[in-house]
Amino acid sequence: MPKLTLAFRSPGDHQEKWRAALATLVPDVTFLPWQEIADPAAVDVALCWLPPTGWLATMPNLKMVHSLGAGVDHILLDTAYPAQVPLVRLVDPYMTRAMTEFVTFQVLRLHLKEPTYRRQQQAALWKPYAPPRASERKVGILGLGELGAASATALAGLGFDVAGWSRTPKALDGVTCFAGDDGLDAFLARTEILVCLLPLTAATEGILGAKNFARLPRGAGIINVGRGRHVVEADLLAALDSGHLSEAVLDVFPKEPLAADHPFWKHERVVVTPHVAALTNPGTASLVVAENLRRLVQGEAWPDRVDIASGY
Ligand code: NDP
Ligand code: OXD
């Protein structure tokens, strides 16, 4: 592979793992932590999470920006993003499996009333509930992309009555598919456990708000593993407190880490996890990045190139 210079920037602590993994896979690529960039014009590729506004625009010869995650909202927040530079996101089969495990686990928790039994244990209350069969439990997945489709298929495999919603029509074995704004009402009306696996875009921000909660059947539970800004927090708290929603599992938040005094922490019907549904794993993700670097050098298209206009 001809020489490329890759600038790395992430507030996380995996820099040395990435350096080591890429040194093995693509030894001709110069790995440059962002603090060590002496000549921004020499940088060909930026591999980043949450780059500060304007940083990418300081590198005039960028040929690709690669996200360190599946989502790219953290990059497109940058109002100075150089629109001509291709943006590629991370699609790693390991992450897809991890997300499927997390979503399946949380759906099973809500299906089997585990949060109820946890509350009952605190009150030494012995009160059994017979769960419906999985085939009688209606699960709905917002977003049928890489992650949503895999979770939907796995849940259908467990026997759940699964539906999914996407922007464009889809056909997925064992999953009832709805699409577009016209399909949303019918999708929500039949959903008892709602999972959000949408990207954060102008069209999806605030989708988990009062209007859509009201369309869910009373007692529905929600699991948000998309982005924090999908949720209108005041609406969620009101829906939980009124009993319209029974439980919320929240993995992502508009501001992370979640503030210590945030009401979600102590709410008895909210489970908070610290953005861990599908963590980027340098060991597996570096294989994906190396392949995308090869495509850059060979002039091949990237299957996971982002459409910047639609934001995902
Ligand atoms: P994809 O781009 O593969 O899929 C996105 C899906 O959302 C597609 O089915 C798309 O529809 C649908 N969609 C987008 N906009 C709309 C809209 N306006 N109306 C209806 N449907 C819409 O993304 P991934 O599955 O790879 O990832 C989804 C998100 O998961 C990421 O963007 C990220 O925010 C989140 N994530 C969270 C993680 C965590 O640890 N919590 C880890 C990784 C990702 P269509 O198919 O028609 O284009
Ligand atoms: C991602 C994430 O987008 O971890 O990959 O949220």
Side-chain angles (χ1 to χ4, degrees):
M1 178 168 324
K3 292 208 175 304
L4 288 175
T5 296
L6 177 148
F8 182 90
R9 183 163 195 158
S10 168
D13 54 3
H14 285 317
Q15 183 172 296
E16 292 316 310
K17 286 188 183 155
W18 275 99
R19 189 202 294 270
L22 291 177
T24 306
L25 294 168
V26 281
D28 283 342
V29 172
T30 303
F31 183 96
L32 210 52
W34 68 273
Q35 302 92 330
E36 294 171 25
I37 300 171
D39 177 12
V43 176
D44 303 293
V45 175
L47 175 61
C48 53
W49 179 267
L50 207 57
T53 293
W55 177 66
L56 294 166
T58 63
M59 296 174 277
N61 295 315
L62 275 181
K63 297 167 186 65
M64 165 171 76
V65 174
H66 205 304
S67 172
L68 276 165
V72 292
D73 51 295
H74 62 101
I75 292 174
L76 294 176
L77 275 176
D78 178 352
T79 46
Y81 184 88
Q84 77 287 357
V85 180
L87 174 58
V88 178
R89 70 193 194 91
L90 185 60
V91 175
D92 176 354
Y94 165 83
M95 279 174 86
T96 305
R97 276 197 299 278
M99 182 60 84
T100 300
E101 286 173 13
F102 187 92
V103 168
T104 304
F105 169 63
Q106 299 297 350
V107 167
L108 285 170
R109 281 186 60 250
L110 299 194
H111 170 59
L112 297 175
K113 283 190 164 291
E114 190 269 345
T116 302
Y117 293 126
R118 206 143 38 89
R119 288 190 289 271
Q120 289 188 181
Q121 182 168 351
Q122 276 158 13
L125 177 62
W126 183 278
K127 189 171 174 195
Y129 301 89
R133 284 178 298 159
S135 59
E136 295 162 345
R137 178 70 81 194
K138 292 183 161 52
V139 180
I141 314 281
L142 289 166
L144 285 177
E146 288 293 327
L147 302 176
S151 290
T153 301
L155 289 162
L158 287 176
F160 286 103
D161 182 353
V162 182
W165 182 69
S166 52
R167 192 172 57 82
T168 55
K170 295 270 175 295
L172 214 55
D173 268 358
V175 178
T176 308
C177 295
F178 295 83
D181 293 343
D182 293 346
L184 185 58
D185 280 11
F187 165 82
L188 292 171
R190 50 98 59 213
T191 293
E192 297 168 296
I193 299 177
L194 179 68
V195 179
C196 178
L197 263 169
L198 289 167
L200 180 66
T201 67
T204 65
E205 181 163 6
I207 192 162
L208 300 176
K211 191 165 129 215
N212 287 331
F213 292 153
R215 292 170 170 157
L216 294 167
R218 188 171 177 81
I222 71 157
I223 299 166
N224 185 25
V225 281
R227 285 289 183 260
R229 280 163 50 203
H230 285 132
V231 174
V232 181
E233 294 191 349
D235 293 358
L236 175 58
L237 288 167
L240 288 167
D241 293 343
S242 73
H244 184 69
L245 293 183
S246 57
E247 317 282 347
V249 177
L250 306 174
D251 184 57
V252 282
F253 304 90
K255 189 168 180 326
E256 298 176 357
L258 187 64
D261 60 354
H262 197 289
F264 286 156
W265 283 115
K266 296 216 165 114
H267 198 292
E268 64 166 7
R269 292 184 179 274
V270 175
V271 164
V272 170
T273 53
H275 199 147
V276 289
L279 294 169
T280 297
N281 170 2
T284 53
S286 56
L287 297 166
V288 179
V289 172
E291 166 61 12
N292 285 331
L293 291 169
R294 186 197 66 74
R295 285 176 180 270
L296 170 64
V297 169
Q298 310 281 323
E300 291 174 27
W302 298 279
D304 301 312
R305 182 171 177 175
V306 170
D307 172 14
I308 292 177
S310 63
Y312 75 101

